[in-house]
Amino acid sequence: MGFDRLLFADFQPLALIATTPTGAQRLQPLNQLPATTLWVSESLSQIEGVQTYSGSLSEHLANIWPDCKSLVFCLATGAVIRLIAPLLQDKSCDPAVVVVDEAGKFVISLCSGHQGKADRLAQLVARQIGATPVITGASASLGLPGIDVLGVPFGWNRGTGDWTKVSAAIARGELVRVIQEAGSTLWQSHLPETHPFDFGVPEEAIAPQARVWISHQQVKSRRGAKHCARTKVKSQDSTIPEVRWHPRVLWVGMGCERGTSRKLIAAAIQQVCQANDLAEDAIAGIATIDIKADEAGILELCGERCWHLRTFPAEILRTVEVPNPSTVVEAEVGTPSVAEAAAICAAGDVSQIQPSLPTPLPWERGAAGGVRAEECWQADLGLDRSPTLKPVQGRLLVSKQIFCFDTEDRLIQNPKSKIQNRQGAVTVAIAQSQLEYTGRKGSLWLVGTGPGKLEQMTPAAQTAITAADAVIGYSLYIDLISPLLRPGQIVEALPITQERQRAERAIALAKWGLTVAVVSSGDCGIYGMAGLVLEELQRSGWDGKTPSVEVFPGITALQAAAARVGAPLMHDFCAISLSDLLTPWEVIEKRLIAAAQADFVTALYNPRSQTRTQQIVTVQQIFLQYRHPSTPVAIVRSAYRSDEEIAISTLEKFLDLPIDMLTTVIIGNQSSRTHADWIITPRGYNSWSSFTDCD
Ligand code: SAH
């Protein structure tokens, strides 16, 4: 349940509703989750672990509806529709509603598929109970991420706009202009081949039917974009529907008098944002000097707005070049700048909270040709910037401004002289980071996908792959798991030789805040990616918690191969990889001799490659010294895949058969024997019972 808790956390409180014993039974696996209640009518009170409601189900639903994040019904869809109809308000606030049929064949995402995450819940429930998820949203059938959930993995804030009209335009396949001025463009490289988005064709050429802004700026003006040649905005554009996402790239640098009120800080930030066309929704957090870490007004505001608070010591802040240093400030706190320096530090140093910035892979770059934030930075944003300022990543957008309230609590900007007001005084500057702050604790899921067929993969592993924001693995395995992938996922297939890059990339994305599934065939902890990822994490100074790690076991090749030929592993066995790429051959040879001597059934991974052909011959010679030439040997190629080949031979003859890198070879022990097409390694019951018989 540990992993399930993690997966379903987003959907709680979760209400399960059944009206029959079969329905209740169907939903019982989900009833183990925390913050979950299985509701049944009083007549079914004898069922274990349920809660009963009295009166009508519709009354009961009306009572629990406001407190539920999600509801899963095991009931006819029509009945559910009638029950929930009077309760529905708006897709931005309605809970996820999912329906499971009594036979447990289908899980329907009925309502609030995107923002309520019912689509995701339906997929998770379906994986858990082995059913087919039914997702009828238009974007899902087009293989596209819902436009109203696009930025969720990256922690973007949903801004204003006509989400229904833009979604409808996307569903109709109409041209939708995307203007991305901030935030990661990773999503653009993971769209299906045909999609309605256009990332930079001049609007004069083809008129779009809708527009998606991904920006740190607010609606009113788009000066930055106007100056970006590729995103010229025509006046009639305002007639087409638009939506706005705000990646959290703005860091508010702040200095303040002790005891400055939350109200003044909020008013100052609002004023600076408005004056500079910046969206408050694009604020990642507040940055200040460490002695302000306990400043009540700042803490209150950060808590309220879910902003991150970052503090820096004076020794760091004083190293930052700023446009408006102050000797007075320096004399007071030991750095000539707090607000500007802290903003630049926070925006340029996202690595402290999200180390290892994910850079696009070579083959991703420019894939969709989107307008990148950096390109817009080339343009004049029309905001205060010092020509001498050269921050590496953080870019000062607004130089410091001082605010206080006058005696009648009116906001005064840059007062000429000190005004006495108990609400204090605050200095605000704003910098932009290149990479957005996701505000999420990333996870690495190390997933074993089994030998081939999906049925051979555990439901937990399948669920993890569907649920992850990003899936990384060797291309062949990505193909095998393609039915589990969902629109909007970042799927990166890397060539087989690039294990280290795969691990580093996965770690970078997870440290950034994404949930990343790293897939290995078989078991990921057996000659798979789990060890490498953990090693790399250790090297990077990982604290063992962030990103969180979860390992999903899978059926390894030796189990799969054994299952195809009977029970060769019925007694003590070992696995030896013949690949000497990462292990010196002398070590491998020593282990082979030890295994042969100790009479272990021995499974050989990576037995023979095109260039490495001699090792398997040496194996035969070693084993013939300790085992009879007639010892059974299984040669299983591509177990549970469409090109599966199975052969049973002997230690003396097995080299006559084709063996390659898709093959696992199992050498029996001294007691292993064949019967028809099967290999049996006795467990010892028969000899043991005859021994007791004699006793
Ligand atoms: N992590 C994998 C092993 C990777 S090493 C696991 O746990 O199964 C790669 C080797 O595994 C191959 O050279 C082959 O020896 C074996 N192998 C992997 N999949 C196989 C399959 N479906 N059938 C037979 N052997 C397989």
Side-chain angles (χ1 to χ4, degrees):
M1 260 298 143
F3 169 64
D4 296 345
R5 276 166 197 272
L6 210 90
L7 276 179
F8 284 89
D10 264 1
F11 301 98
Q12 288 152 355
L14 170 63
L16 311 169
I17 293 139
T19 53
T20 63
T22 321
Q25 202 184 356
R26 190 65 66 205
L27 299 179
Q28 277 293 10
L30 300 170
N31 197 24
Q32 317 299 320
L33 297 164
T36 299
T37 313
L38 174 49
W39 293 102
V40 294
S41 64
E42 277 173 330
S43 60
L44 300 177
S45 61
Q46 75 289 353
I47 302 173
E48 215 179 299
V50 296
Q51 295 240 28
T52 54
Y53 58 85
S54 48
S56 75
L57 179 51
S58 57
E59 276 165 14
H60 177 64
L61 268 183
N63 287 335
I64 61 169
W65 185 263
D67 301 323
C68 283
K69 231 171 166 185
S70 337
L71 297 103
V72 179
F73 290 84
C74 191
L75 201 61
T77 325
V80 178
I81 290 171
R82 283 176 217 290
L83 282 165
I84 65 168
L87 304 169
L88 293 172
Q89 284 175 13
D90 185 85
K91 63 180 175 186
S92 64
C93 59
D94 287 333
V97 180
V98 162
V99 182
V100 182
D101 67 320
E102 269 209 3
K105 283 191 177 156
F106 300 103
V107 181
I108 305 166
S109 165
L110 192 68
C111 216
S112 295
H114 291 168
Q115 293 176 45
K117 304 195 183 112
D119 287 357
R120 189 77 79 90
L121 180 60
Q123 279 161 327
L124 294 186
V125 172
R127 297 268 167 257
Q128 291 284 316
I129 66 170
T132 305
V134 181
I135 316 278
T136 54
S139 55
S141 53
L142 293 169
L144 294 167
I147 201 66
D148 52 350
V149 288
L150 181 72
V152 171
F154 316 111
W156 300 353
N157 278 323
R158 213 177 354 247
T160 53
D162 193 334
W163 297 92
T164 308
K165 280 201 179 138
V166 174
S167 301
I170 293 172
R172 288 193 296 267
E174 293 170 355
L175 187 74
V176 176
R177 166 85 16 94
V178 174
I179 299 163
Q180 182 156 8
E181 300 172 329
S184 167
T185 53
L186 197 54
W187 69 277
Q188 296 181 10
S189 330
H190 295 274
L191 293 167
E193 248 170 57
T194 48
H195 60 75
F197 302 117
D198 135 54
F199 299 98
V201 181
E203 291 201 8
E204 284 79 5
I206 321 162
Q209 300 301 308
R211 190 181 300 109
V212 178
W213 286 93
I214 302 168
S215 175
H216 56 295
Q217 295 188 287
Q218 57 184 0
V219 184
K220 204 171 63 188
S221 153
R222 292 162 203 125
R223 281 183 286 174
K226 265 188 196 160
H227 290 272
C228 232
R230 292 206 285 156
T231 58
K232 274 196 196 125
V233 181
K234 289 207 300 184
S235 53
Q236 71 264 31
D237 281 346
S238 54
T239 58
I240 64 169
E242 287 189 357
V243 290
R244 280 157 220 95
W245 276 105
H246 298 297
R248 290 189 278 169
V249 290
L250 301 179
W251 287 91
V252 180
M254 185 166 290
C256 68
E257 280 179 7
R258 183 56 75 190
T260 297
S261 71
R262 185 211 69 86
K263 187 175 157 199
L264 174 60
I265 298 170
I269 294 175
Q270 187 185 34
Q271 172 60 28
V272 168
C273 284
Q274 262 172 16
N276 294 281
D277 294 336
L278 297 174
E280 282 192 67
D281 272 341
I283 294 175
I286 292 181
T288 186
I289 189 163
D290 53 6
I291 52 173
K292 292 280 167 203
D294 59 349
E295 189 65 47
I298 298 182
L299 289 171
E300 266 176 49
L301 192 62
C302 283
E304 210 173 87
R305 304 274 179 95
C306 295
W307 288 344
H308 189 76
L309 174 62
R310 297 209 56 200
T311 60
F312 300 90
E315 304 82 73
I316 299 276
L317 296 178
R318 60 180 300 116
T319 61
V320 182
E321 215 179 318
V322 296
N324 301 296
S326 153
T327 48
V328 179
V329 174
E330 184 165 26
E332 220 170 284
V333 293
T335 165
S337 166
V338 173
E340 290 179 349
I344 292 170
C345 276
D349 187 24
V350 184
S351 59
Q352 281 301 307
I353 27 173
Q354 295 165 174
S356 312
L357 309 182
T359 43
L361 296 164
W363 50 92
E364 282 174 1
R365 266 184 218 125
V371 179
R372 287 173 179 274
E374 306 92 272
E375 289 169 21
C376 280
W377 281 346
Q378 310 300 317
D380 180 12
L381 287 174
L383 298 171
D384 192 337
R385 263 190 304 157
S386 157
T388 57
L389 197 66
K390 291 194 203 82
V392 182
Q393 287 163 349
R395 178 173 292 262
L396 197 65
L397 297 182
V398 186
S399 61
K400 74 172 184 186
Q401 312 289 326
I402 300 166
F403 293 89
C404 61
F405 284 133
D406 67 7
T407 46
E408 278 153 49
D409 278 5
R410 283 177 304 219
L411 191 67
I412 307 290
Q413 184 163 355
N414 298 329
K416 295 274 176 299
S417 59
K418 195 163 168 57
I419 298 173
Q420 285 310 321
N421 184 310
R422 277 181 299 131
Q423 306 222 31
V426 62
T427 309
V428 170
I430 297 187
Q432 181 178 356
S433 65
Q434 198 160 357
L435 189 73
E436 64 271 47
Y437 168 65
T438 61
R440 302 176 65 203
K441 177 182 164 182
S443 304
L444 275 164
W445 292 344
L446 311 175
V447 185
T449 58
K453 273 205 193 116
L454 285 189
E455 299 94 276
Q456 301 296 333
M457 196 188 305
T458 67
Q462 297 194 26
T463 313
I465 290 168
T466 304
D469 300 316
V471 180
I472 295 186
Y474 163 48
S475 11
L476 173 67
Y477 309 144
I478 298 278
D479 290 348
L480 289 171
I481 58 161
S482 60
L484 301 175
L485 300 175
R486 63 181 166 79
Q489 268 178 324
I490 294 160
V491 181
E492 293 184 354
L494 279 102
I496 190 153
T497 47
Q498 301 191 352
E499 285 87 3
R500 195 174 291 278
Q501 285 93 322
R502 240 180 282 162
E504 283 169 359
R505 175 71 175 161
I507 291 170
L509 290 175
K511 284 188 170 177
W512 183 38
L514 302 194
T515 298
V516 185
V518 182
V519 297
S520 285
S521 80
D523 185 276
C524 55
I526 298 178
Y527 311 122
M529 289 293 295
L532 182 55
V533 171
L534 286 167
E535 274 181 70
E536 291 293 318
L537 276 172
Q538 186 187 17
R539 254 176 15 131
S540 73
W542 181 50
D543 65 356
K545 296 192 189 91
T546 310
S548 68
V549 169
E550 187 82 32
V551 185
F552 295 81
I555 294 175
T556 187
L558 74 81
Q559 289 171 288
R564 302 308 275 147
V565 295
L569 304 178
M570 204 53 210
H571 217 292
D572 302 340
F573 64 89
C574 67
I576 298 179
S577 164
L578 296 192
S579 168
D580 54 2
L581 280 180
L582 302 170
T583 313
W585 175 248
E586 302 75 66
V587 174
I588 300 173
E589 200 170 21
K590 218 165 106 187
R591 289 178 186 167
L592 285 166
I593 294 167
Q597 259 177 350
D599 200 30
F600 280 114
V601 177
T602 304
L604 303 171
Y605 284 70
N606 304 303
R608 175 154 69 191
S609 74
Q610 277 174 349
T611 50
R612 192 169 42 71
T613 53
Q614 266 314 297
Q615 282 82 343
I616 190 80
V617 179
T618 311
V619 169
Q620 186 191 39
Q621 288 160 1
I622 291 171
F623 276 77
L624 277 172
Q625 288 172 37
Y626 301 94
R627 293 188 202 173
H628 198 272
S630 65
T631 304
V633 172
I635 294 163
V636 181
R637 184 177 191 275
S638 294
Y640 294 100
R641 296 184 192 152
S642 54
D643 52 344
E644 179 185 80
E645 286 169 39
I646 301 166
I648 292 176
S649 180
T650 60
L651 191 54
E652 188 182 23
K653 302 253 177 64
F654 79 99
L655 288 183
D656 299 344
L657 296 165
I659 294 175
D660 64 9
M661 284 296 276
L662 296 175
T663 310
T664 296
V665 176
I666 300 178
I667 304 175
N669 69 12
Q670 283 177 23
S671 341
S672 300
R673 56 181 187 253
T674 47
H675 177 79
D677 288 337
W678 302 98
I679 297 182
I680 307 163
T681 296
R683 172 75 179 86
Y685 291 109
N686 290 337
S687 46
W688 195 73
S689 58
S690 54
F691 173 71
T692 38
D693 283 352
C694 298
D695 199 33

